[in-house]
Amino acid sequence: MRFDLKTIASWIEPGSRVLDLGCGNGVLLEYLQKEKRVIGTGIERDEEKVFQGIQKGVNIIQGDINEEIIDYGDNTFDYVILSQTLQQVHRPVWLINQMLRIGKRGIVSFPNYSHYKNRLYFFFKGRAPISKELPYEWFDTPNIRRIGITDFKRFCNIFGFKIEKETNISTYHHEEHGKIVTIFPNLFAIYGIFMLSKE
């Protein structure tokens, strides 16, 4: 399992009710079900990934997270996870508010666009950075937002999302190993991971 998902999994209490938005093939939910006995559900748009997850015994609904999330009642879940999907979300304030309506806590992770390699790429090449974590040209990327760790903290402050936990990590795309970054994370971390609740 990816290092960022291992970090998220370490925050989940055993026996919790978990919703994973944009869950892919359900690898995180599968782990949480086996290791922490969670009651888990995922929402994923990609039909093939949904099929792969169901074959693993994970409960996944195929659909758009923005449409499916409104069907859940208040406080249905203990945790709602949005892993490496925020940069593709059209209405981030609305979605995080929905996450914190249906869940006691929300966990959000994203690639840190402020990483020093991205800054150097832009400075020296004069083009939008391309990396393993952001492997697209500007014209074909599904990512509509470029988020830095400092930007995200400011966003939370503006809209009243309480940051309960924060871990910034350095790990390469889909790697199982990595390290926690504590010094200048906005510059050196490749991913930011935050646990949120309402103020």
Side-chain angles (χ1 to χ4, degrees):
M1 191 166 63
R2 294 184 337 229
F3 184 70
D4 62 304
L5 296 181
K6 289 179 186 176
T7 303
I8 291 170
S10 73
W11 291 359
I12 305 295
E13 293 292 326
S16 298
R17 298 163 298 160
V18 177
L19 176 65
D20 189 356
L21 302 174
C23 66
N25 63 8
V27 65
L28 175 60
L29 286 172
E30 180 187 25
Y31 174 86
L32 290 172
Q33 286 174 351
K34 289 180 180 175
E35 301 299 322
K36 297 203 170 183
R37 304 175 316 282
V38 306
I39 300 166
T41 302
I43 300 173
E44 173 58 46
R45 181 179 290 210
D46 187 305
E47 186 176 352
E48 179 59 31
K49 290 179 181 176
V50 171
F51 180 70
Q52 292 170 4
I54 290 171
Q55 284 187 313
K56 297 176 186 176
V58 179
N59 179 28
I60 302 179
I61 298 166
Q62 183 184 7
D64 185 314
I65 59 176
N66 297 292
E67 296 172 7
E68 300 295 337
I69 199 169
I70 60 177
D71 291 336
Y72 292 101
D74 295 359
N75 298 312
T76 302
F77 300 96
D78 297 302
Y79 301 94
V80 180
I81 299 168
L82 186 70
S83 171
Q84 294 191 32
T85 306
L86 183 64
Q87 68 275 12
Q88 299 173 11
V89 170
H90 287 275
R91 297 182 295 166
V93 178
W94 179 86
L95 185 60
I96 292 175
N97 270 314
Q98 287 296 309
M99 290 171 64
L100 297 178
R101 176 186 67 79
I102 67 170
K104 295 175 184 174
R105 291 180 176 83
I107 298 175
V108 177
S109 70
F110 52 87
N112 176 29
Y113 195 71
S114 296
H115 188 267
Y116 78 92
K117 288 184 180 178
N118 292 335
R119 299 184 195 200
L120 291 173
Y121 191 108
F122 199 87
F123 181 80
F124 285 110
K125 296 194 176 187
R127 296 191 293 116
I130 299 171
S131 65
K132 288 182 180 177
E133 293 70 42
L134 298 164
Y136 304 98
E137 295 280 359
W138 68 268
F139 52 81
D140 66 358
T141 180
N143 301 323
I144 59 172
R145 307 200 181 278
R146 307 292 189 180
I147 309 162
I149 289 167
T150 301
D151 283 324
F152 186 75
K153 289 180 178 181
R154 182 172 175 270
F155 164 85
C156 289
N157 186 51
I158 290 169
F159 292 103
F161 303 129
K162 181 181 178 183
I163 298 172
E164 292 198 358
K165 283 187 183 182
E166 173 188 353
T167 299
N168 301 294
I169 62 172
S170 180
T171 181
Y172 291 103
H173 189 61
H174 289 100
E175 287 291 316
E176 295 179 10
H177 305 286
K179 63 182 179 179
I180 294 172
V181 177
T182 56
I183 299 172
F184 301 119
N186 197 49
L187 196 58
F188 296 118
I190 295 176
Y191 297 100
I193 308 171
F194 292 81
M195 181 185 289
L196 308 178
S197 65
K198 286 190 173 177
E199 291 282 15

